[in-house]
Amino acid sequence: MSRIRILAENVANKIAAGEVIERPASVVKELLENSLDAGARSVRIEVESGGKRLIRVIDDACGMNHDDALLAFERHATSKLQTAQDLLSIATLGFRGEALPSIAAVSRLLLETRTAHEEQGTQVEFAGGKLVDVKTVGVPTGTSIRIADIFYGVPARRKFLKSETTELGHVASLVTHYALAYPEVQFLLKTSSQVILDCAPVDKLSERIYQVFGRQALDELVEIPASEGRVTEDAAWLDADEPAAKLGVSGFTSRPEVQRTNRNGIYIFVNRRLVRDRLLLHAISEAYRNVTPAGVFPVVLLFLALPYQEVDVNVHPAKIEVRFRHPQFVHDFTRDALRHALSIARPIPGFPAARVAAATASPPGLGFGLPGSPPIPEVGAYPGPPGAEPPALRSSVPAAEELELSRALEGPPGEGLGSDKAMNPAISFQTAVPPIAEMPATGTLPRAQAIAELKPLGQVNASYIVAVNSEGLWIIDQHVAHERVLFEQHLQARRKGELGGQRLLVPILVELNPRQTATFEQIGEELRANGFEADLMGARSVAIHAAPAGIAGGDAERLLFEILDGVAREHQSISLDSLQAKIAASTACHAAIKINTSLDATKMEWLLSELSKTEYPMSCPHGRPVVLRYPMREIERAFKRN
Ligand SMILES: Nc1ncnc2c1ncn2[C@@H]1O[C@H](COP(=O)(O)OP(=O)(O)O)[C@@H](O)[C@H]1O
Ligand SMILES: [Mg+2]
């Protein structure tokens, strides 16, 4: 019996149609989605000349019977939906019934397919959209599609294809995305000369990340603990007849030290569909605000799962944009899940020298023990002079395959699928990551406890506190540590509306430039809520009567300028949240203990105890590290005691 039907015109017309086939990677995307929709456990992708000469996708999915194999090439022929109502809850990656006819129209296509119920399979051949041949063949269950000479009848389009390497990069990026979304499926991507990706089925996303990106990448990530929220719990959306929809968030996100200059390391999946979504990108940057500096981006593999009717995927021709029914909830819930992950991660930077010594003694990566571990390159004795590139960092070069993958992806930047930059080949994970000064947090005390147990021994240069606990030796930057403490206290007090100012003995008169005056008027109320008491006197001057607690008289003026200029640099529409964070960060910076200040034991103990109570004790509001740790294990290794 046929599964595929032609959509009624009124349904077909409701579909956000558009250009589907733009380059080899778009063909691979459609074919892969078809294989996954059909329940493939294994997909093999072969390309020649970056897919320009040949693309083959072979799956072990349900296959098609003879009639379906032909029907599939009609426009709007699909087995995935029937009515306009079905469009409201799309559970499959495909739904338009347009891909196969569009691909057949611009290539030479050979399809071989068989269902488990049939003895014989079907072979269908198209050239430039015309059916050339249909016959019965003996083939395994599943589907194999071969696309030769993409755009061969459309020279104008063919001209727009980029170099082999670039096109291969797009294909590799695409396959990587799907490999991450479907760890239980086997993926093989090869060219005529090399295997680019070969992932056996695995149970967990972490194992798949390891297969695709290698160990270093995994070390840089923390798991986002799976959490679930009820979308309709929020009173504003509560609709009595509606069952509570659940939103699940999971995945991995990078430690604060991992800082990228672009968003290429951000992968967002909604119901296992790769999407590009501003709302979620915003939720991610909100989660990292005050954890990493402005202008840098984390690496994130974010998975959202929600009922199909909660998300409209029928809004973009390439199906990479979605619309949520409850965007605010999705945004806030995701942001909080990421913040939570970051707050438990609390990574601690180590001493680079300590890591070199440790690595010389025992190459990192041994004992990681996942199936299919790539060979770890040997780390020899450390030959270089101090300051040379430490072997600890070199030894984490990816295995041969991963290197090939990264190389395959080295195309000119800024070329995405179509004009879409967010879909860039994004897998240069290995090569783009700056070395990070960071130790995995396994086998150590919970962060807060580790810091609470620190016993300060003294200061280096009246600026850095030296302290010990059972984990080893720590150095704490006194200024940024205090900054983190004050920042969190200030922000908390502000949000509770409990912030008081400190009256200055003599009001300070300051001159503002026109821009500062405008900003002052715009954020005057928030400044008051933060402890400033300041009035405009005439057109240009402000009299400061009170400043946030902890700010010395002379600093009040500098702080005010810093806030006004900082806000002006942002665009006009700065959110209240980020305005408050900005003011808190500036105030904390001005009020914090400076470097070159001697502290007595009591003061140091107090500071460490306050730091242990913060939510993110490991980085200051501007993203700089607060502490360095030299773990016991590495001290012992460095002294050759084990
Ligand atoms: N690899 C495959 N295995 C089984 N069926 C497939 C496969 N590829 C395509 N089909 C069938 O062909 C139909 C048309 O595919 P396509 O043109 O991509 O449209 P859509 O995926 O939007 O339904 C699908 O609905 C599906 O029934
Ligand atoms: Mg499809």
Side-chain angles (χ1 to χ4, degrees), residues 461-481:
N461 226 6
S463 304
Y464 305 98
I465 299 173
V466 179
V468 290
N469 64 9
S470 60
E471 282 186 354
L473 171 70
W474 296 52
I475 298 187
I476 299 98
D477 182 321
Q478 65 197 38
H479 173 69
V480 291

Side-chain angles (χ1 to χ4, degrees), residues 3-4 34 38 59 64 72 77-80 94-97 99-100 143:
R3 300 189 311 130
I4 302 182
N34 280 347
D59 69 44
M64 285 174 269
T78 180
S79 55
K80 300 172 191 175
F95 51 86
R96 308 201 167 101
L100 289 183
T143 303

Side-chain angles (χ1 to χ4, degrees), residues 36-37 80-81 84-95 181-182 184 231 242-248 269-275 304-315 321-326 330:
L36 293 167
D37 279 345
K80 300 172 191 175
L81 56 89
Q85 186 67 23
D86 296 342
L87 273 175
L88 302 179
S89 59
I90 296 169
T92 47
L93 295 166
F95 51 86
Y182 290 81
E184 76 281 18
V231 177
E242 231 179 312
K246 280 187 187 157
L247 165 67
F269 302 87
V270 173
N271 291 336
R272 304 224 275 182
R273 176 193 302 280
L274 172 77
V275 302
L304 265 63
L306 67 178
Y308 299 118
Q309 59 276 11
E310 284 289 317
V311 47
D312 187 0
V313 295
N314 183 24
V315 292
E321 277 172 18
V322 292
R323 205 173 289 138
F324 295 101
R325 249 177 96 192
H326 298 117
V330 170

Side-chain angles (χ1 to χ4, degrees), residues 59 85 127 130 153 199 208 231 254 275 283 305 326 328 432 482 491 514 519 544 575 582 588 593:
D59 69 44
Q85 186 67 23
K130 299 220 165 52
C199 302
R208 185 47 61 90
V231 177
S254 55
V275 302
H326 298 117
Q328 190 67 44
H482 197 206
L491 204 55
T519 313
I544 308 178
S575 73
K582 229 182 182 66
I593 299 166

Side-chain angles (χ1 to χ4, degrees), residues 452 454-459 465-466 478 482 593 597-611 613:
L454 280 175
K455 197 177 151 19
L457 304 179
Q459 283 169 293
I465 299 173
V466 179
Q478 65 197 38
H482 197 206
I593 299 166
T597 308
S598 14
L599 303 176
D600 61 22
T602 332
K603 197 85 198 250
M604 289 190 275
E605 272 163 23
W606 166 83
L607 179 57
L608 295 178
S609 136
E610 289 299 302
L611 182 64
K613 293 178 205 153

Side-chain angles (χ1 to χ4, degrees), residues 262-280:
N262 57 44
R263 292 196 174 85
N264 288 354
I266 300 179
Y267 298 74
I268 302 173
F269 302 87
V270 173
N271 291 336
R272 304 224 275 182
R273 176 193 302 280
L274 172 77
V275 302
R276 176 196 58 191
D277 186 76
R278 275 174 197 288
L279 180 85
L280 292 171

Side-chain angles (χ1 to χ4, degrees), residues 334-591:
T334 305
R335 178 200 59 203
D336 295 347
L338 284 163
R339 277 191 187 158
H340 177 60
L342 285 171
S343 76
I344 7 184
R346 300 187 176 179
I348 315 174
F351 292 48
R355 286 203 325 287
V356 172
T360 315
S362 139
L366 288 183
F368 194 71
L370 278 175
S373 303
I376 308 289
E378 281 257 331
V379 182
Y382 179 38
E389 189 193 2
L393 303 175
R394 258 191 281 133
S395 68
S396 52
V397 240
E401 283 163 23
E402 291 157 3
L403 270 183
E404 277 164 21
L405 177 60
S406 332
R407 225 179 293 131
L409 292 167
E410 280 163 18
E415 270 179 32
L417 205 59
S419 59
D420 170 16
K421 292 204 167 58
M423 285 284 288
N424 260 354
I427 351 178
S428 40
F429 211 111
Q430 296 282 353
T431 44
V433 182
I436 45 158
E438 192 266 311
M439 299 296 301
T442 45
T444 52
L445 295 173
R447 295 294 147 252
Q449 192 189 341
I451 296 173
E453 284 180 9
L454 280 175
K455 197 177 151 19
L457 304 179
Q459 283 169 293
V460 181
N461 226 6
S463 304
Y464 305 98
I465 299 173
V466 179
V468 290
N469 64 9
S470 60
E471 282 186 354
L473 171 70
W474 296 52
I475 298 187
I476 299 98
D477 182 321
Q478 65 197 38
H479 173 69
V480 291
H482 197 206
E483 210 178 334
R484 168 49 77 182
V485 170
L486 293 175
F487 170 74
E488 289 192 13
Q489 288 175 349
H490 185 102
L491 204 55
Q492 230 172 40
R494 167 66 194 95
R495 296 208 163 134
K496 288 190 191 143
E498 290 170 354
L499 260 181
Q502 208 175 355
R503 282 203 83 78
L504 305 177
L505 281 177
V506 195
I508 306 175
L509 268 187
V510 295
E511 290 275 299
L512 303 184
N513 66 31
R515 188 160 183 194
Q516 289 167 332
T517 315
T519 313
F520 181 84
E521 286 183 11
Q522 185 195 342
I523 66 166
E525 198 177 321
E526 185 54 37
L527 285 172
R528 260 187 300 283
N530 276 278
F532 269 107
E533 224 174 88
D535 305 320
L536 265 180
M537 317 250 303
R540 295 285 205 85
S541 317
V542 160
I544 308 178
H545 301 284
I551 300 294
D555 248 2
E557 176 179 350
R558 254 168 295 164
L559 174 59
L560 181 66
F561 281 145
E562 190 180 307
I563 294 170
L564 293 178
D565 294 341
V567 171
R569 264 196 304 277
E570 301 247 332
H571 34 89
Q572 288 296 302
S573 59
I574 183 170
S575 73
L576 185 60
D577 244 23
S578 34
L579 175 61
Q580 289 177 349
K582 229 182 182 66
I583 296 177
S586 294
T587 309
C589 182
H590 283 269

